[in-house]
Amino acid sequence: MSADINLFSPYQLGNLELPNRIVMAPLTRNRAGEGNVPHQLNATYYTQRASAGLIISEATQVSPQGQGYPLTPGIHSPEQVEGWKLVTDAVHQQQGRIFLQLWHVGRISHPDLQPDGALPLAPSAIAAKGEASTFEGPKPFVTPRALETSEIPQIVEKYRQAAANALAAGFDGVEIHAANGYLIDQFLRDSTNQRTDKYGGSIENRTRFLLEVTEAVTSVWDSQRVGVRFSPSGTFNDIRDSNPLETFGYAAQALNQFNLAYLHIFEAIDADIRHGAVVVPTSHIRDRFTNTLIVNGGYTREKGNAVIANKAADLVAFGTLFISNPDLPRRLALNAPLNEPNQATFYGGDEKGYTDYPFWSAANEAVAN
């Protein structure tokens, strides 16, 4: 154990210097403007949280087909690029660092959200259990259309173009969203990938799409400005795998060829356990991935300090705590009280529950002391 290294220690992430090891996790907030364009309210929200060692933006669709929820931002139109520039400029003015998370939901969508009311796209024509979020409220998931082999390079190109758009928008890097039951995760898992072509069957084949996307993104960005997110123990969005230890151990090791900035692991949470998750220990991934490891999933100040001191991870991502505490690094450093999050305002709406959470003030400190 190295007790002198903790959440508040600086960290060299590739060629990016982080002032602390506290990462703002990607958080869907459903507050994009018309055309799924980021706007000034979004810039205010991220700027308030610029003291994070690194901000990872909310999941951002790489194409219109990649959308699965109302009012989530995109990175595929000129207007969206300009909207994101508002965000990156504002964050950089506060000396912050921000990566964009690249997202395609695959089957976790609905015709109501798709261009021309088309079926969502997926590795295989297997419907997810549960309901999609639409502008008219929840609706049952539909059976998606299985991608033709010839179409998959077109999807990879969407990721490449989105990565180029993120570069033009002024981001410091990008994170490839390969977690939480969305498109790349659907290719990786054998419950959702029942293809018989070169993208299905063996682990090598099921990992092919992830590696092709990563290759495309690193053709635009220096690999040390690219991360990948996994949820190997996740069950969200009706996702399963018959052998997740083998699947994600292989995938993590396969990513080493790119010399990426990091691998970001969303660890098992109570909901995954309740839904029968096969828990993949983070140590299983740590043993196979050679670069920076970020962990996320219900961390506290104490737990975060311990995982870093034990060298079980290098950085810790906080989600819900960052929603309600824009100045989370300062509060954690002072061991100050934390604002309680209002779950009713997590998704959609205006500034309420978004940019109106109070900061810890000098007056608070005087009272606390």
Side-chain angles (χ1 to χ4, degrees), residues 325 331 334-339 360 364 368:
N325 297 277
R331 287 178 183 259
L334 294 170
N335 205 14
L338 300 173
N339 297 323
W360 183 253
N364 292 140

Side-chain angles (χ1 to χ4, degrees), residues 162-349:
N165 291 346
L167 188 62
F171 284 93
D172 298 296
V174 293
E175 177 178 284
I176 298 167
H177 195 347
N180 300 111
Y182 298 117
L183 184 62
I184 298 176
D185 206 12
Q186 292 162 28
F187 269 93
L188 288 169
R189 312 270 198 141
D190 56 14
S191 70
T192 44
N193 183 347
Q194 297 182 7
R195 303 179 69 89
T196 57
D197 63 359
K198 65 180 183 178
Y199 293 96
S202 67
I203 294 176
E204 292 83 357
N205 283 354
R206 286 183 280 120
T207 308
R208 189 184 306 276
F209 181 62
L210 165 68
L211 300 183
E212 289 182 352
V213 168
T214 306
E215 183 176 18
V217 171
T218 55
S219 74
V220 174
W221 285 88
D222 182 320
S223 66
Q224 286 287 285
R225 294 298 182 99
V226 177
V228 170
R229 190 176 213 228
F230 284 160
S231 55
S233 306
T235 60
F236 183 61
N237 284 323
D238 190 30
I239 201 76
R240 295 283 191 285
D241 189 74
S242 63
N243 192 341
L245 277 88
E246 187 176 11
T247 296
F248 287 95
Y250 177 89
Q253 199 155 6
L255 288 173
N256 287 328
Q257 65 187 283
F258 297 103
N259 189 31
L260 298 176
Y262 65 80
L263 185 55
H264 183 183
I265 302 298
F266 184 61
E267 298 178 328
I269 58 175
D270 290 344
D272 297 318
I273 305 302
R274 288 198 307 272
H275 288 94
V278 176
V279 176
V280 177
T282 298
S283 59
H284 183 73
I285 306 297
R286 183 68 154 174
D287 291 343
R288 287 160 177 78
F289 185 73
T290 55
N291 287 0
T292 296
L293 191 71
I294 305 176
V295 290
N296 176 219
Y299 276 84
T300 61
R301 180 182 191 269
E302 293 71 27
K303 189 179 174 186
N305 278 333
V307 77
I308 288 173
N310 290 326
K311 298 185 178 180
D314 303 295
L315 304 169
V316 178
F318 295 85
T320 303
L321 292 183
F322 254 120
I323 289 178
S324 55
N325 297 277
D327 54 348
L328 183 63
R330 185 181 183 204
R331 287 178 183 259
L332 292 179
L334 294 170
N335 205 14
L338 300 173
N339 297 323
E340 287 294 323
N342 178 5
Q343 294 193 17
T345 59
F346 278 7
Y347 306 110

